[in-house]
Amino acid sequence: MDIILDFLTNISWWGWILIVLAGVAIRDIFFQKAHTISHNYPIVGHLRYWLESIGPEMRQYFVANNREELPFNRIERGWIYASAKKENNYEGFGTDRDIYAHQHIFVNNAMMPYKIADNHPNKIDKTFLPCAKVMGEFNKRKRPYRPASVINVSAMSFGSLSAKAVESLNKGVKIACAYHNTGEGGLSPYHSHGGDVVFHFGTGYFGVRADDGGFSMEKMVKLVNDNPFIKAIEVKLSQGAKPGKGGVLPAAKITKEIAKIRGVEVGKDVLSPPNHKAFSNVPEMVDFIEKIAEATGLPVGIKAAIGKLEQWEELADIMKKTGKGPDFITVDGGEGGTGAAPPSFADHVSLPWVYGFSDLYCLFKDKGLSERIVFIGSGKLGFPAKAAMAFAMGADCINVAREAMMSIGCIQSQVCHTNRCPSGVATQSKWLQNGIDPTLKSERLAQYFKTFRKEFIEITHAAGYEHPCQFKMSDIEINVDDHNLSKELSRTYMYNKTPVPFTSMQTLKDCSYLGGVY
Ligand SMILES: Cc1cc2nc3c(=O)[nH]c(=O)nc-3n(C[C@H](O)[C@H](O)[C@H](O)COP(=O)(O)O)c2cc1C
């Protein structure tokens, strides 16, 4: 024994390194079967896997230029971070974008901007920008709702996001007078810090789930009665990142608390099926919407990504014939985010926002229905100029998911599906989310929303208008290609939006249905 110990203690440090490397080489060649590269190139083969694993960070920090990353490039992320922290979000020396590039958008400015009077609501509050339409007004719901902010937090569930992140978002929307969409995972205590809430559910019916896994109207009514801050209900048909796929919450993210809120088992992937149990065709869906609206008194809308139009056409015909149907429609673009989705879906299924929205809006407009629906857009629209384009096309509000995540600290590491989110935003790890201070982060979300609204109002004024609902298709131009140079939206997408009835910002402020706590 002493001889062995003596021998081992006499091995030098480089001797130990050689022994470890020899061990790794033996394992690579004889024992592991999973990696051909390590077998064929023992030891050095590991370098490849390591470099590959740190590649995204290397590219993000050192290699990618300011405008080339996706989903959000460095300039976009920087603008959100600076806006959220109320830091200087200007750029010096002029734009660094290629403004002749395909799809670049331009807002046609007026010769003289809109002038606000001394007693104008925006003179008092430069960020006051409510929705110009009221949800549920046409259908005479008992509790109509006018969102007090044109930018709001899009569907993201507790489960997909951490408790601290959900709490920060809810406290943030309260400060910014916006609403918070719950996402599919049900209403959690973290959604209940005083902000307006849009309760969202999908095919899993989490939070309003009957024992057989279907929808429970009894639970829906109780939920709405117990939580008066729920202002509207959104039925999810699909989302841009994975339409027709249903949902997945990986087992790694299912804690006891999440399992209890959703009514599912701990430690097993939670799958929402692709189809609803509560309805199986368009007329049944309209009945379902009407029953929920009748039982709760709230406006009820649907969220979907757009592809084929036949069933939408059927919906529009029913709405025209019966005077019933959704109070709002949220159109999600194919570029939309998700907690987890197969790339084949995220990359290819459903149309990008501009194509999907223009198809859908035209369809409803042609049937004379666009005035009675509140159109909400989502899909990387959380930037004032993008929002101006969306409003010119017919959107009345926008929802933001990833932009909201970034405002509370997300660094776009794109690992939401692994439970290892380094910023603590999209993980259930207690350690990782402990870095989030909800008081500070809620201020950040609120500040991002306020900065967004302030800049959006300024762009609106530059175009000669008081409210962005007045944007017309001809106010925005988009580079199409070299031959046509740039074309107005109306000529590119071949329609004009229905003018939104708007009298003044003061009327919106005086509206008894106005949400938030103004
Ligand atoms: C982490 C995460 C979770 C999401 N969860 C849901 C969900 O539960 N239901 C849903 O309809 N959409 C969900 N979405 C999609 C967003 O609500 C939104 O439609 C999409 O990301 C586009 O908005 P964005 O470009 O501002 O992120 C989720 C997105 C993210 C990033």
Side-chain angles (χ1 to χ4, degrees), residues 154-156 160-161 183-184 200 236 239 303 332 336-339 378-380 400-403 405:
S154 195
M156 290 182 287
S160 183
L161 299 190
E184 282 190 77
H200 163 111
K236 174 182 173 176
Q239 71 182 92
K303 170 173 179 173
D332 200 23
T338 172
S378 56
K380 295 170 69 173
V400 291
R402 289 163 296 176
E403 297 91 320
M405 290 167 75

Side-chain angles (χ1 to χ4, degrees), residues 71-72 152-158 160-161 181-185 200-202 234 236-242 253 262 303-304 330-333 335-340 377-383 399-406 416 425-426 448:
F72 295 91
N152 296 286
V153 174
S154 195
M156 290 182 287
S157 56
F158 167 51
S160 183
L161 299 190
N181 187 312
T182 58
E184 282 190 77
H200 163 111
F201 65 86
E234 185 176 75
K236 174 182 173 176
L237 303 177
S238 58
Q239 71 182 92
K242 49 180 175 179
K253 288 180 124 177
R262 295 193 178 210
K303 170 173 179 173
T330 307
V331 175
D332 200 23
E335 60 273 68
T338 172
S378 56
K380 295 170 69 173
L381 297 175
F383 305 92
N399 281 350
V400 291
R402 289 163 296 176
E403 297 91 320
M405 290 167 75
M406 285 189 270
C416 311
V425 174
Y448 159 53

